[in-house]
Amino acid sequence: MNDLPKQPAISDPANELASDSSPIDPRDFRNALGTYGTGVTIITAMAADGKPYGITCNSFASVSLNPPLVLWSLGFYSSSLPVFQNASHFAVHILGTSQQTLANKFAKSSEDKFAGVDWTPGLGNAPVLAESVANFQCRSVNRYYGGDHVIFLGAVEAYAYSAKEPLLFARGGYGRFLADDERKKSP
């Protein structure tokens, strides 16, 4: 770990993206990004052939309250990219602290990630998973290309949430949030 600022030599950002010649070390950059705690989500969509798809994702964020918009991103090399690019709708599921196993299941390549998973078809037939802390059913509005990812923008058309505790992710591991009043109660 190094607390000194990482300052690459000044170069043309367009050239960096086109030529993959960024002076920033990708592994070290990932370590720095890992210091930012995020929620853990599963994004789902239905393929044209009726097969459900889902991936674990922590690149989810709100964009706008009016209109209600959210975004998330997916790597260019994901085998499920064509499904999400062609789906009219997707659903975002914020996972709870008891759902680490589900997060791990959807994070790995598998022929049938939905085996044994309780879900119902939502808007655009996007699978809506049971028991998540919150879910957002979204119409796919636009896609933007950023580096090695596609950024999906969704218009929220329906949502639900509960008081369950959300699952968090930072520095390569799962955790939970302790509010100030909870820390005072801890031994």
Side-chain angles (χ1 to χ4, degrees):
M1 184 168 102
N2 184 347
D3 290 337
L4 296 175
K6 303 284 184 181
Q7 297 181 340
I10 296 174
S11 63
D12 176 15
N15 192 30
E16 283 180 23
L17 294 175
S19 68
D20 194 29
S21 63
S22 173
I24 292 179
D25 174 57
R27 179 70 247 173
D28 194 52
F29 184 56
R30 184 177 181 141
N31 290 342
L33 291 173
T35 65
Y36 180 66
T38 67
V40 181
T41 69
I42 291 176
I43 314 290
T44 59
M46 188 66 72
D49 66 3
K51 181 178 178 183
Y53 279 78
I55 58 156
T56 298
C57 173
N58 70 342
S59 64
F60 168 73
S62 63
V63 175
S64 171
L65 295 176
N66 188 14
L69 299 171
V70 297
L71 66 77
W72 65 282
S73 65
L74 182 60
F76 277 147
Y77 305 108
S78 171
S79 61
S80 58
L81 182 63
V83 172
F84 288 102
Q85 285 182 312
N86 293 315
S88 67
H89 288 75
F90 60 84
V92 178
H93 307 85
I94 297 176
L95 300 185
T97 55
S98 66
Q99 295 180 302
Q100 288 183 25
T101 302
L102 189 62
N104 289 334
K105 180 177 186 169
F106 278 80
K108 297 176 183 161
S109 293
S110 170
E111 192 58 36
D112 188 7
K113 293 180 182 182
F114 287 85
V117 174
D118 187 12
W119 65 276
T120 56
L123 298 175
N125 289 323
V128 176
L129 306 179
E131 304 300 319
S132 60
V133 172
N135 69 66
F136 303 90
Q137 296 183 60
C138 304
R139 179 175 38 83
S140 190
V141 174
N142 214 332
R143 289 173 253 347
Y144 303 93
Y145 297 91
D148 58 0
H149 279 65
V150 176
I151 302 161
F152 292 86
L153 182 66
V156 178
E157 295 185 334
Y159 67 94
Y161 65 100
S162 70
K164 295 176 187 172
E165 187 176 2
L167 180 61
L168 302 179
F169 189 80
R171 293 196 167 132
Y174 296 113
R176 60 185 289 258
F177 175 73
L178 288 179
D180 286 341
D181 58 336
E182 287 183 73
R183 277 185 253 161
K184 292 175 187 170
K185 294 176 191 175
S186 297

